[in-house]
């Protein structure tokens, strides 16, 4: 050993610069992870641009026709159009005051009541979006995924139901047991949630479940026949009406081909696609990058 060498030098820690060099890769990985998570959070909490949300909202309208095409042939009530169900309940109440004082509350009246109540329940779930931001990618994707779960639950319930998909008479609905009420409830709740979510996006679609209002607004549009120009409000309403019609057509074809359970299973897959779709809608600056 060199006589001039400090005998304690071999036990000294490495220089501070060397320590920083050795620790840098792990520290850098942690910082990159935190930065990536922060960017992801910011991305999910960005509000989508309503003007560029036409595609997923059109898919919402498609699902309105699709879901009702499953319910109406079997039980002659709607899971999305609650005007008819409300009037059905009003007529059931009116029977109490006729000459015969009919107090019967038949199966279709009970199914209509189930649909109205669960639709309202689904609408209240939609108010959770106020906490996350009703137009954020996070809520629109999450809320649509909840609709997906509701549709899947309805598919499972009607699959276990083992009853026909199409009724032969309004007096004898195809679905009559307890599982049919579970199916109706989940379908109606999914439509209630969809209705409030579509409304909160606040676009020219106005509503993804009520065609009467959309049709009236379309006919009342002063630029209805100005066909040489793109009129966003008018064109969105036309797309909404055609989407509901097309959804009903596709659902009707599937009902006659594969039955209610498989049709709702396909509807579940479509809603899952819409859930992912919301994640790629641009924000108001037109950005979709993380």
């Amino acid at each position: 050993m060199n006589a001039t060498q400090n005998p304690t030098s071999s036990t000294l820690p490495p220089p501070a610069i060397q320590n920083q060099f050795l620790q840098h890769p792990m520290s850098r990985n942690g910082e990159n992870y935190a930065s990536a998570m922060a960017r992801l959070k910011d991305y999910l909490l960005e509000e989508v641009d309503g003007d560029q949300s036409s595609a997923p909202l059109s898919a919402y309208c498609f699902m309105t026709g699709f879901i009702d095409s499953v319910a109406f042939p079997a039980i002659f009530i709607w899971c999305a159009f609650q005007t008819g169900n409300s009037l059905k309940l009003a007529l059931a109440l009116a029977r109490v005051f006729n000459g015969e004082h009919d107090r019967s509350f038949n199966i279709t009246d009970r199914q209509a009541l189930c649909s109205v109540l669960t639709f309202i329940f689904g609408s209240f779930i939609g108010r959770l979006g106020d906490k996350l931001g009703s137009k954020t990618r996070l809520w629109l994707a999450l809320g649509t995924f909840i609709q997906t779960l509701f549709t899947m639950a309805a598919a499972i319930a009607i699959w276990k139901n083992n009853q026909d998909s199409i009724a032969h008479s309004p007096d004898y609905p195809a679905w009559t047991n307890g599982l049919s009420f579970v199916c109706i409830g989940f379908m109606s709740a999914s439509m209630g949630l969809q209705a409030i979510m579509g409304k909160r996006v606040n676009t020219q679609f106005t509503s993804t479940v009520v065609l009467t209002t959309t049709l009236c607004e379309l006919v009342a549009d002063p630029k209805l026949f100005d066909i040489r120009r793109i009129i966003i409000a008018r064109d969105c309403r036309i797309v909404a009406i055609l989407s509901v019609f097309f959804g009903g057509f596709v659902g009707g074809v599937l009902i006659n081909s594969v039955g209610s359970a498989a049709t709702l299973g396909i509807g579940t897959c479509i809603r899952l696609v819409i859930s992912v779709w919301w994640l790629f809608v641009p924000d108001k600056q037109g950005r979709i990058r993380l």
Side-chain angles (χ1 to χ4, degrees), residues 254-275:
L254 290 174
I255 284 291
N256 288 287
S257 302
V258 297
S260 300
T263 300
L264 286 173
I266 294 171
T268 300
C269 296
I270 295 173
R271 276 194 156 142
L272 183 60
V273 171
I274 303 172
S275 301

Side-chain angles (χ1 to χ4, degrees), residues 61-71 244 247-248 250-251 254 263-264 266-268 270:
C61 294
F62 174 89
M63 288 306 301
T64 297
F66 190 92
I67 292 294
D68 274 339
S69 70
V70 176
V244 173
V250 172
L254 290 174
T263 300
L264 286 173
I266 294 171
T268 300
I270 295 173

Side-chain angles (χ1 to χ4, degrees), residues 17-28:
I17 296 177
Q18 183 177 352
N19 281 341
Q20 291 176 2
F21 177 77
L22 294 173
Q23 295 173 3
H24 180 67
M26 183 179 297
S27 175
R28 182 174 57 187

Side-chain angles (χ1 to χ4, degrees), residues 42-266:
D42 291 341
Y43 179 79
L44 292 176
L45 292 178
E46 286 176 350
E47 291 191 352
V48 300
D49 184 1
D51 293 336
Q52 300 189 64
S53 303
S54 297
L57 289 175
S58 297
Y60 270 9
C61 294
F62 174 89
M63 288 306 301
T64 297
F66 190 92
I67 292 294
D68 274 339
S69 70
V70 176
F72 188 78
I75 53 179
F76 300 98
I77 67 167
W78 312 102
C79 291
F81 307 141
Q82 295 301 325
T83 303
N85 295 339
S86 300
L87 288 177
K88 188 172 182 60
L89 293 174
L91 292 173
L93 181 62
R95 288 198 301 267
V96 177
F97 300 97
N98 64 17
E100 298 178 358
H101 300 289
D102 184 3
R103 292 182 174 82
S104 62
F105 198 56
N106 59 43
I107 182 68
T108 56
D109 296 332
R110 282 174 274 163
Q111 290 169 335
L113 178 62
C114 174
S115 181
V116 170
L117 293 178
T118 50
F119 184 93
I120 295 172
F121 171 74
S123 298
F124 274 103
I125 294 177
R127 295 185 67 89
L128 294 176
D130 296 341
K131 304 296 183 181
L132 299 176
S134 58
K135 296 177 67 174
T136 60
R137 293 189 182 99
L138 175 61
W139 168 244
L140 290 170
L142 177 61
T144 308
F145 183 68
I146 296 173
Q147 297 172 34
T148 303
L149 296 179
F150 284 170
T151 309
M152 181 177 66
I156 294 173
I158 209 60
W159 172 56
K160 292 290 187 179
N161 189 33
N162 291 323
Q163 291 186 313
D164 293 337
S165 300
I166 300 176
H168 301 291
S169 169
D171 296 326
Y172 301 98
W175 301 347
T176 55
N177 61 19
L179 282 175
S180 68
F181 282 86
V182 174
C183 177
I184 295 166
F186 277 116
M187 285 196 295
S188 300
S190 74
M191 295 312 305
L193 177 55
Q194 175 189 297
I196 191 69
M197 289 180 63
K199 184 65 176 177
R200 290 295 176 86
V201 177
N202 193 27
T203 66
Q204 300 295 338
F205 277 80
T206 63
S207 174
T208 61
V209 297
V210 181
L211 274 192
T212 305
T213 303
T214 305
L215 184 60
C216 291
E217 290 178 346
L218 174 64
V219 175
D221 194 325
K223 299 179 181 179
L224 175 61
F225 297 107
D226 191 358
I227 60 176
R228 288 180 290 184
R229 291 192 300 162
I230 295 176
I231 309 298
I232 295 177
R234 176 202 63 192
D235 296 346
C236 284
R237 290 164 187 148
I238 292 174
V239 169
I241 293 170
L242 293 178
S243 297
V244 173
F245 181 87
F246 184 60
F249 170 78
V250 172
V253 170
L254 290 174
I255 284 291
N256 288 287
S257 302
V258 297
S260 300
T263 300
L264 286 173
I266 294 171

